[in-house]
Amino acid sequence: MIIDGHNDLVLHRWRGEPTLHLDLDAARAAGFSGGFFALYVPSPSVPDPDEIPYEVPLPEPIPYEEAARVAEELFAALCELPVELATSVDDFREGQVTAIVHMEGAEPLAPDLSDLERWYERGLRSVGLVWSRPNAFAEGVPFRFPSSPDTGAGLTDAGRELVRACNRLGILVDLSHLNEAGFWDLQGISDAPLVATHSNAHALCAASRNLTDRQLDAIRDSAGVVGVNFAVGFLRQDGHNGAATPITEIVRHIDYLVERMGIDHVAFGSDFDGATIPEELGGVAGLPKLVSALRDAGYDDAAIAKLTHENWLRVLAATWR
Ligand code: ZN
């Protein structure tokens, strides 16, 4: 069984575009049992930078009313997929794809949080405070390489309230995309395990989107988890966005994170349909190749079970109510 920290299939469905990586029939055949399905209100598309170094300015904020309208349409597109929505860890089963409703960027939520409970009742179980652009709650990192993740101000008062409200309801709060000041603000407030659904090790790839050793240590100390992102630009030491990147680059980050945090704190966070991934992996059908690469790298059955699903299930069980 494979559970995954991030995909953007819903965005493609909403746009009427074919999936790039996450064909749901291929998913079932590959042992993919689901994971976090993002409701992401898009900014005008950020071009994939092919020059290194790169520095893409933060996209413009999106007003709440507009974001809320688009999020309704995204949620409708998710509900049309042949997937179950997860409200408990028991909802994940072999041979079936189960979706965790995840908001990537909290713009669709009213800053006074008046609609959060309605979203919870409809199935929302994970919120990333930000994608990259600033909003009423926090500010994300701009896409930069090389760059520290320490790029701007931390959580707003509304952002702090949102973290507390999510803790109360049992909604997971995602640290991926958040800048470092926001990370430490959230770490100081949240009583749940810290989670980065799709981020990598900054020590191996110095993109602003990746996590420093100090951040990794804080996630470990909270009994949390990092979902390793398959986006080549966040894997490769040179920061390049070329698909001609071997699967062993994913294994390199898993090795580093396991060495730093322990086997209980590392999982998958593919970014399928949201990024350029290694062509050797190709998409969801290639996941068994990644599992064999892990076996070749010395991970035994017990370790692979933790990396592929047990760590996600443990953290979800500790977070959800
Ligand atoms: Zn993302």
Side-chain angles (χ1 to χ4, degrees):
M1 181 189 278
I2 293 170
I3 298 178
D4 175 59
H6 191 87
N7 76 72
D8 283 301
L9 176 61
V10 172
L11 181 65
H12 288 269
R13 289 301 175 107
W14 175 71
R15 285 176 165 161
E17 297 167 355
T19 174
L20 299 173
H21 307 133
L22 186 51
D23 176 273
L24 291 175
D25 293 323
R28 282 181 210 91
F32 178 93
S33 293
F36 295 71
F37 280 60
L39 304 181
Y40 162 65
V41 177
S43 282
S45 77
V46 179
D48 278 339
D50 44 16
E51 299 279 308
I52 304 289
Y54 60 82
E55 182 163 356
V56 182
L58 278 176
E60 288 298 304
I62 295 184
Y64 158 64
E65 291 77 10
E66 184 189 337
R69 179 182 59 74
V70 174
E72 288 300 324
E73 296 177 9
L74 291 165
F75 184 66
L78 170 57
C79 291
E80 282 173 17
L81 293 174
V83 299
E84 305 295 320
L85 299 190
T87 55
S88 145
V89 292
D90 299 329
D91 295 331
F92 290 93
R93 296 202 188 89
E94 299 276 1
Q96 157 188 308
V97 177
T98 301
I100 299 165
V101 183
H102 168 71
M103 225 176 237
E104 185 176 32
E107 287 88 349
L109 298 175
D112 67 1
L113 309 184
S114 52
D115 49 11
L116 181 64
E117 289 195 23
R118 190 181 67 93
W119 271 105
Y120 177 83
E121 282 158 18
R122 301 160 90 195
L124 182 71
R125 289 296 180 276
S126 175
V127 172
L129 299 183
V130 285
W131 179 67
S132 281
R133 63 202 169 218
N135 63 26
F137 306 102
E139 187 179 298
V141 290
F143 291 96
R144 275 189 204 160
F145 183 95
S147 170
S148 142
D150 188 11
T151 58
L155 303 193
T156 65
D157 289 344
R160 292 165 190 276
E161 282 310 310
L162 178 53
V163 173
R164 291 190 188 99
C166 286
N167 280 175
R168 235 179 358 253
L169 288 165
I171 297 174
L172 183 147
V173 185
D174 180 17
L175 289 156
S176 287
H177 287 279
L178 193 57
N179 64 26
E180 190 171 355
F183 179 102
W184 295 115
D185 285 347
L186 196 153
Q187 186 257 352
I189 296 167
S190 181
D191 59 17
L194 298 177
V195 173
T197 57
H198 58 308
S199 294
N200 291 341
H202 196 272
L204 301 189
C205 169
S208 55
R209 274 279 284 103
N210 287 341
L211 298 161
T212 66
D213 287 347
R214 236 183 110 220
Q215 291 177 304
L216 297 175
D217 293 349
I219 291 171
R220 174 200 62 214
D221 293 345
S222 76
V225 72
V226 175
V228 171
N229 193 323
F230 304 167
V232 293
F234 304 148
L235 289 169
R236 293 167 61 116
Q237 188 164 15
D238 64 11
H240 272 284
N241 202 45
T245 298
I247 287 176
T248 49
E249 280 296 289
I250 302 174
V251 177
R252 193 171 73 95
H253 279 263
I254 291 175
D255 284 345
Y256 185 88
L257 295 171
V258 168
E259 174 83 10
R260 184 86 200 178
M261 297 194 290
I263 192 72
D264 291 330
H265 306 289
V266 187
F268 292 171
S270 70
D271 221 339
F272 282 152
D273 283 330
T276 303
I277 67 167
E279 64 194 0
E280 187 189 0
L281 185 72
V284 70
L287 284 173
K289 280 193 220 167
L290 172 57
V291 172
S292 0
L294 289 169
R295 231 177 266 290
D296 293 346
Y299 293 91
D300 62 13
D301 286 349
I304 287 173
K306 288 182 178 199
L307 296 171
T308 53
H309 61 281
E310 286 178 2
N311 290 338
W312 273 130
L313 292 175
R314 183 197 79 242
V315 165
L316 293 171
T319 305
W320 290 350
R321 305 231 184 285

PDB file of all heavy atoms in Angstrom, residues 11 14 39-43 62-63 66-72 74 103-105 107-108 131 133:
ATOM      1  N   LEU A  11      -6.621  19.953 -10.091  1.00  0.00           N
ATOM      2  CA  LEU A  11      -6.425  21.151 -10.915  1.00  0.00           C
ATOM      3  C   LEU A  11      -6.569  20.806 -12.399  1.00  0.00           C
ATOM      4  O   LEU A  11      -7.204  21.535 -13.165  1.00  0.00           O
ATOM      5  CB  LEU A  11      -5.046  21.757 -10.631  1.00  0.00           C
ATOM      6  CG  LEU A  11      -4.714  23.030 -11.407  1.00  0.00           C
ATOM      7  CD1 LEU A  11      -5.633  24.183 -11.001  1.00  0.00           C
ATOM      8  CD2 LEU A  11      -3.251  23.421 -11.201  1.00  0.00           C
ATOM      9  N   TRP A  14     -10.220  20.161 -13.208  1.00  0.00           N
ATOM     10  CA  TRP A  14     -10.957  21.427 -13.221  1.00  0.00           C
ATOM     11  C   TRP A  14     -10.700  22.186 -14.529  1.00  0.00           C
ATOM     12  O   TRP A  14     -11.603  22.795 -15.099  1.00  0.00           O
ATOM     13  CB  TRP A  14     -10.520  22.259 -12.012  1.00  0.00           C
ATOM     14  CG  TRP A  14     -11.102  23.637 -11.932  1.00  0.00           C
ATOM     15  CD1 TRP A  14     -12.390  23.977 -11.651  1.00  0.00           C
ATOM     16  CD2 TRP A  14     -10.393  24.869 -12.128  1.00  0.00           C
ATOM     17  NE1 TRP A  14     -12.534  25.344 -11.652  1.00  0.00           N
ATOM     18  CE2 TRP A  14     -11.318  25.915 -11.939  1.00  0.00           C
ATOM     19  CE3 TRP A  14      -9.065  25.191 -12.424  1.00  0.00           C
ATOM     20  CZ2 TRP A  14     -10.972  27.259 -12.041  1.00  0.00           C
ATOM     21  CZ3 TRP A  14      -8.709  26.531 -12.530  1.00  0.00           C
ATOM     22  CH2 TRP A  14      -9.659  27.546 -12.347  1.00  0.00           C
ATOM     23  N   LEU A  39      -6.636  21.047  -3.281  1.00  0.00           N
ATOM     24  CA  LEU A  39      -7.488  22.078  -3.864  1.00  0.00           C
ATOM     25  C   LEU A  39      -6.603  23.316  -3.932  1.00  0.00           C
ATOM     26  O   LEU A  39      -6.346  23.961  -2.916  1.00  0.00           O
ATOM     27  CB  LEU A  39      -8.711  22.358  -2.987  1.00  0.00           C
ATOM     28  CG  LEU A  39      -9.611  21.169  -2.631  1.00  0.00           C
ATOM     29  CD1 LEU A  39     -10.782  21.644  -1.765  1.00  0.00           C
ATOM     30  CD2 LEU A  39     -10.123  20.470  -3.887  1.00  0.00           C
ATOM     31  N   TYR A  40      -6.071  23.585  -5.108  1.00  0.00           N
ATOM     32  CA  TYR A  40      -5.124  24.684  -5.300  1.00  0.00           C
ATOM     33  C   TYR A  40      -5.739  25.706  -6.253  1.00  0.00           C
ATOM     34  O   TYR A  40      -6.009  25.383  -7.410  1.00  0.00           O
ATOM     35  CB  TYR A  40      -3.795  24.143  -5.855  1.00  0.00           C
ATOM     36  CG  TYR A  40      -2.917  25.199  -6.477  1.00  0.00           C
ATOM     37  CD1 TYR A  40      -2.388  26.229  -5.693  1.00  0.00           C
ATOM     38  CD2 TYR A  40      -2.640  25.205  -7.841  1.00  0.00           C
ATOM     39  CE1 TYR A  40      -1.602  27.217  -6.260  1.00  0.00           C
ATOM     40  CE2 TYR A  40      -1.856  26.190  -8.418  1.00  0.00           C
ATOM     41  CZ  TYR A  40      -1.342  27.196  -7.621  1.00  0.00           C
ATOM     42  OH  TYR A  40      -0.579  28.175  -8.191  1.00  0.00           O
ATOM     43  N   VAL A  41      -5.978  26.900  -5.747  1.00  0.00           N
ATOM     44  CA  VAL A  41      -6.483  27.995  -6.592  1.00  0.00           C
ATOM     45  C   VAL A  41      -5.281  28.579  -7.322  1.00  0.00           C
ATOM     46  O   VAL A  41      -4.381  29.142  -6.688  1.00  0.00           O
ATOM     47  CB  VAL A  41      -7.182  29.069  -5.732  1.00  0.00           C
ATOM     48  CG1 VAL A  41      -7.645  30.231  -6.617  1.00  0.00           C
ATOM     49  CG2 VAL A  41      -8.355  28.459  -4.974  1.00  0.00           C
ATOM     50  N   PRO A  42      -5.232  28.417  -8.653  1.00  0.00           N
ATOM     51  CA  PRO A  42      -3.983  28.740  -9.337  1.00  0.00           C
ATOM     52  C   PRO A  42      -3.716  30.234  -9.465  1.00  0.00           C
ATOM     53  O   PRO A  42      -4.630  31.030  -9.654  1.00  0.00           O
ATOM     54  CB  PRO A  42      -4.162  28.100 -10.715  1.00  0.00           C
ATOM     55  CG  PRO A  42      -5.628  27.978 -10.918  1.00  0.00           C
ATOM     56  CD  PRO A  42      -6.255  27.831  -9.558  1.00  0.00           C
ATOM     57  N   SER A  43      -2.448  30.590  -9.354  1.00  0.00           N
ATOM     58  CA  SER A  43      -1.947  31.888  -9.792  1.00  0.00           C
ATOM     59  C   SER A  43      -1.626  31.743 -11.276  1.00  0.00           C
ATOM     60  O   SER A  43      -1.474  30.619 -11.760  1.00  0.00           O
ATOM     61  CB  SER A  43      -0.660  32.244  -9.046  1.00  0.00           C
ATOM     62  OG  SER A  43      -0.933  32.707  -7.752  1.00  0.00           O
ATOM     63  N   ILE A  62      -4.528  36.512  -4.052  1.00  0.00           N
ATOM     64  CA  ILE A  62      -5.841  36.284  -4.674  1.00  0.00           C
ATOM     65  C   ILE A  62      -6.903  36.610  -3.624  1.00  0.00           C
ATOM     66  O   ILE A  62      -6.856  36.092  -2.514  1.00  0.00           O
ATOM     67  CB  ILE A  62      -5.971  34.818  -5.147  1.00  0.00           C
ATOM     68  CG1 ILE A  62      -4.954  34.570  -6.270  1.00  0.00           C
ATOM     69  CG2 ILE A  62      -7.392  34.517  -5.614  1.00  0.00           C
ATOM     70  CD1 ILE A  62      -5.022  33.199  -6.899  1.00  0.00           C
ATOM     71  N   PRO A  63      -7.852  37.496  -3.970  1.00  0.00           N
ATOM     72  CA  PRO A  63      -8.858  37.888  -2.973  1.00  0.00           C
ATOM     73  C   PRO A  63      -9.704  36.695  -2.524  1.00  0.00           C
ATOM     74  O   PRO A  63      -9.955  35.773  -3.307  1.00  0.00           O
ATOM     75  CB  PRO A  63      -9.726  38.911  -3.714  1.00  0.00           C
ATOM     76  CG  PRO A  63      -8.958  39.304  -4.926  1.00  0.00           C
ATOM     77  CD  PRO A  63      -8.023  38.189  -5.254  1.00  0.00           C
ATOM     78  N   GLU A  66     -12.862  35.533  -4.677  1.00  0.00           N
ATOM     79  CA  GLU A  66     -12.500  34.843  -5.909  1.00  0.00           C
ATOM     80  C   GLU A  66     -11.976  33.442  -5.598  1.00  0.00           C
ATOM     81  O   GLU A  66     -12.359  32.451  -6.239  1.00  0.00           O
ATOM     82  CB  GLU A  66     -11.429  35.667  -6.642  1.00  0.00           C
ATOM     83  CG  GLU A  66     -11.030  35.098  -7.981  1.00  0.00           C
ATOM     84  CD  GLU A  66      -9.805  35.831  -8.563  1.00  0.00           C
ATOM     85  OE1 GLU A  66      -9.554  37.002  -8.177  1.00  0.00           O
ATOM     86  OE2 GLU A  66      -9.108  35.212  -9.383  1.00  0.00           O
ATOM     87  N   ALA A  67     -11.123  33.353  -4.580  1.00  0.00           N
ATOM     88  CA  ALA A  67     -10.543  32.050  -4.218  1.00  0.00           C
ATOM     89  C   ALA A  67     -11.642  31.098  -3.742  1.00  0.00           C
ATOM     90  O   ALA A  67     -11.634  29.907  -4.073  1.00  0.00           O
ATOM     91  CB  ALA A  67      -9.482  32.233  -3.134  1.00  0.00           C
ATOM     92  N   ALA A  68     -12.602  31.625  -2.981  1.00  0.00           N
ATOM     93  CA  ALA A  68     -13.681  30.778  -2.455  1.00  0.00           C
ATOM     94  C   ALA A  68     -14.518  30.218  -3.606  1.00  0.00           C
ATOM     95  O   ALA A  68     -14.913  29.047  -3.602  1.00  0.00           O
ATOM     96  CB  ALA A  68     -14.551  31.575  -1.483  1.00  0.00           C
ATOM     97  N   ARG A  69     -14.756  31.046  -4.622  1.00  0.00           N
ATOM     98  CA  ARG A  69     -15.547  30.606  -5.780  1.00  0.00           C
ATOM     99  C   ARG A  69     -14.814  29.496  -6.535  1.00  0.00           C
ATOM    100  O   ARG A  69     -15.391  28.463  -6.870  1.00  0.00           O
ATOM    101  CB  ARG A  69     -15.800  31.813  -6.693  1.00  0.00           C
ATOM    102  CG  ARG A  69     -16.591  31.505  -7.957  1.00  0.00           C
ATOM    103  CD  ARG A  69     -16.757  32.751  -8.839  1.00  0.00           C
ATOM    104  NE  ARG A  69     -15.502  33.345  -9.266  1.00  0.00           N
ATOM    105  CZ  ARG A  69     -14.700  32.832 -10.198  1.00  0.00           C
ATOM    106  NH1 ARG A  69     -15.012  31.705 -10.820  1.00  0.00           N
ATOM    107  NH2 ARG A  69     -13.568  33.444 -10.520  1.00  0.00           N
ATOM    108  N   VAL A  70     -13.518  29.697  -6.783  1.00  0.00           N
ATOM    109  CA  VAL A  70     -12.752  28.683  -7.515  1.00  0.00           C
ATOM    110  C   VAL A  70     -12.658  27.390  -6.689  1.00  0.00           C
ATOM    111  O   VAL A  70     -12.758  26.280  -7.229  1.00  0.00           O
ATOM    112  CB  VAL A  70     -11.346  29.216  -7.886  1.00  0.00           C
ATOM    113  CG1 VAL A  70     -10.482  28.123  -8.507  1.00  0.00           C
ATOM    114  CG2 VAL A  70     -11.466  30.402  -8.835  1.00  0.00           C
ATOM    115  N   ALA A  71     -12.500  27.523  -5.379  1.00  0.00           N
ATOM    116  CA  ALA A  71     -12.367  26.333  -4.524  1.00  0.00           C
ATOM    117  C   ALA A  71     -13.629  25.483  -4.571  1.00  0.00           C
ATOM    118  O   ALA A  71     -13.554  24.247  -4.518  1.00  0.00           O
ATOM    119  CB  ALA A  71     -12.044  26.742  -3.088  1.00  0.00           C
ATOM    120  N   GLU A  72     -14.801  26.135  -4.689  1.00  0.00           N
ATOM    121  CA  GLU A  72     -16.051  25.369  -4.837  1.00  0.00           C
ATOM    122  C   GLU A  72     -15.994  24.500  -6.084  1.00  0.00           C
ATOM    123  O   GLU A  72     -16.394  23.341  -6.081  1.00  0.00           O
ATOM    124  CB  GLU A  72     -17.250  26.308  -4.959  1.00  0.00           C
ATOM    125  CG  GLU A  72     -17.643  27.018  -3.692  1.00  0.00           C
ATOM    126  CD  GLU A  72     -18.029  26.066  -2.571  1.00  0.00           C
ATOM    127  OE1 GLU A  72     -18.633  25.009  -2.849  1.00  0.00           O
ATOM    128  OE2 GLU A  72     -17.695  26.372  -1.413  1.00  0.00           O
ATOM    129  N   LEU A  74     -13.266  23.517  -7.670  1.00  0.00           N
ATOM    130  CA  LEU A  74     -12.238  22.479  -7.495  1.00  0.00           C
ATOM    131  C   LEU A  74     -12.794  21.320  -6.669  1.00  0.00           C
ATOM    132  O   LEU A  74     -12.578  20.145  -6.984  1.00  0.00           O
ATOM    133  CB  LEU A  74     -11.003  23.072  -6.808  1.00  0.00           C
ATOM    134  CG  LEU A  74     -10.181  24.075  -7.627  1.00  0.00           C
ATOM    135  CD1 LEU A  74      -9.232  24.852  -6.705  1.00  0.00           C
ATOM    136  CD2 LEU A  74      -9.367  23.359  -8.714  1.00  0.00           C
ATOM    137  N   MET A 103      -6.370  21.706   1.281  1.00  0.00           N
ATOM    138  CA  MET A 103      -6.339  23.037   0.684  1.00  0.00           C
ATOM    139  C   MET A 103      -4.891  23.493   0.608  1.00  0.00           C
ATOM    140  O   MET A 103      -4.224  23.589   1.639  1.00  0.00           O
ATOM    141  CB  MET A 103      -7.131  23.993   1.577  1.00  0.00           C
ATOM    142  CG  MET A 103      -8.074  24.897   0.853  1.00  0.00           C
ATOM    143  SD  MET A 103      -9.003  25.866   2.058  1.00  0.00           S
ATOM    144  CE  MET A 103     -10.669  25.416   1.591  1.00  0.00           C
ATOM    145  N   GLU A 104      -4.396  23.737  -0.594  1.00  0.00           N
ATOM    146  CA  GLU A 104      -3.006  24.204  -0.736  1.00  0.00           C
ATOM    147  C   GLU A 104      -3.034  25.716  -0.892  1.00  0.00           C
ATOM    148  O   GLU A 104      -3.193  26.254  -1.984  1.00  0.00           O
ATOM    149  CB  GLU A 104      -2.324  23.543  -1.934  1.00  0.00           C
ATOM    150  CG  GLU A 104      -0.849  23.930  -2.021  1.00  0.00           C
ATOM    151  CD  GLU A 104      -0.085  23.235  -3.126  1.00  0.00           C
ATOM    152  OE1 GLU A 104      -0.668  22.943  -4.178  1.00  0.00           O
ATOM    153  OE2 GLU A 104       1.126  22.988  -2.927  1.00  0.00           O
ATOM    154  N   GLY A 105      -2.903  26.405   0.253  1.00  0.00           N
ATOM    155  CA  GLY A 105      -3.126  27.841   0.307  1.00  0.00           C
ATOM    156  C   GLY A 105      -4.526  28.073   0.851  1.00  0.00           C
ATOM    157  O   GLY A 105      -5.512  27.585   0.290  1.00  0.00           O
ATOM    158  N   GLU A 107      -6.435  30.685   1.023  1.00  0.00           N
ATOM    159  CA  GLU A 107      -7.214  31.808   0.485  1.00  0.00           C
ATOM    160  C   GLU A 107      -8.718  31.554   0.425  1.00  0.00           C
ATOM    161  O   GLU A 107      -9.502  32.487   0.592  1.00  0.00           O
ATOM    162  CB  GLU A 107      -6.735  32.179  -0.926  1.00  0.00           C
ATOM    163  CG  GLU A 107      -5.404  32.888  -1.005  1.00  0.00           C
ATOM    164  CD  GLU A 107      -4.219  31.940  -1.091  1.00  0.00           C
ATOM    165  OE1 GLU A 107      -4.407  30.725  -0.878  1.00  0.00           O
ATOM    166  OE2 GLU A 107      -3.110  32.420  -1.350  1.00  0.00           O
ATOM    167  N   PRO A 108      -9.176  30.307   0.152  1.00  0.00           N
ATOM    168  CA  PRO A 108     -10.629  30.094   0.099  1.00  0.00           C
ATOM    169  C   PRO A 108     -11.324  30.168   1.453  1.00  0.00           C
ATOM    170  O   PRO A 108     -12.561  30.121   1.504  1.00  0.00           O
ATOM    171  CB  PRO A 108     -10.755  28.675  -0.489  1.00  0.00           C
ATOM    172  CG  PRO A 108      -9.463  28.430  -1.206  1.00  0.00           C
ATOM    173  CD  PRO A 108      -8.435  29.156  -0.387  1.00  0.00           C
ATOM    174  N   TRP A 131       0.202  28.618  -0.403  1.00  0.00           N
ATOM    175  CA  TRP A 131       1.056  28.214  -1.505  1.00  0.00           C
ATOM    176  C   TRP A 131       2.147  29.283  -1.454  1.00  0.00           C
ATOM    177  O   TRP A 131       2.487  29.744  -0.373  1.00  0.00           O
ATOM    178  CB  TRP A 131       0.236  28.173  -2.811  1.00  0.00           C
ATOM    179  CG  TRP A 131       1.051  27.783  -3.997  1.00  0.00           C
ATOM    180  CD1 TRP A 131       1.632  26.559  -4.220  1.00  0.00           C
ATOM    181  CD2 TRP A 131       1.410  28.629  -5.084  1.00  0.00           C
ATOM    182  NE1 TRP A 131       2.319  26.610  -5.397  1.00  0.00           N
ATOM    183  CE2 TRP A 131       2.215  27.856  -5.952  1.00  0.00           C
ATOM    184  CE3 TRP A 131       1.137  29.954  -5.416  1.00  0.00           C
ATOM    185  CZ2 TRP A 131       2.756  28.372  -7.129  1.00  0.00           C
ATOM    186  CZ3 TRP A 131       1.668  30.461  -6.589  1.00  0.00           C
ATOM    187  CH2 TRP A 131       2.467  29.673  -7.441  1.00  0.00           C
ATOM    188  N   ARG A 133       2.302  32.560  -2.721  1.00  0.00           N
ATOM    189  CA  ARG A 133       1.892  33.968  -2.588  1.00  0.00           C
ATOM    190  C   ARG A 133       1.408  34.271  -1.162  1.00  0.00           C
ATOM    191  O   ARG A 133       0.866  33.402  -0.477  1.00  0.00           O
ATOM    192  CB  ARG A 133       0.775  34.259  -3.592  1.00  0.00           C
ATOM    193  CG  ARG A 133      -0.439  33.422  -3.291  1.00  0.00           C
ATOM    194  CD  ARG A 133      -1.395  33.204  -4.432  1.00  0.00           C
ATOM    195  NE  ARG A 133      -2.327  32.170  -4.007  1.00  0.00           N
ATOM    196  CZ  ARG A 133      -2.821  31.227  -4.767  1.00  0.00           C
ATOM    197  NH1 ARG A 133      -2.518  31.163  -6.040  1.00  0.00           N
ATOM    198  NH2 ARG A 133      -3.617  30.317  -4.267  1.00  0.00           N
TER     199      ARG A 133
END
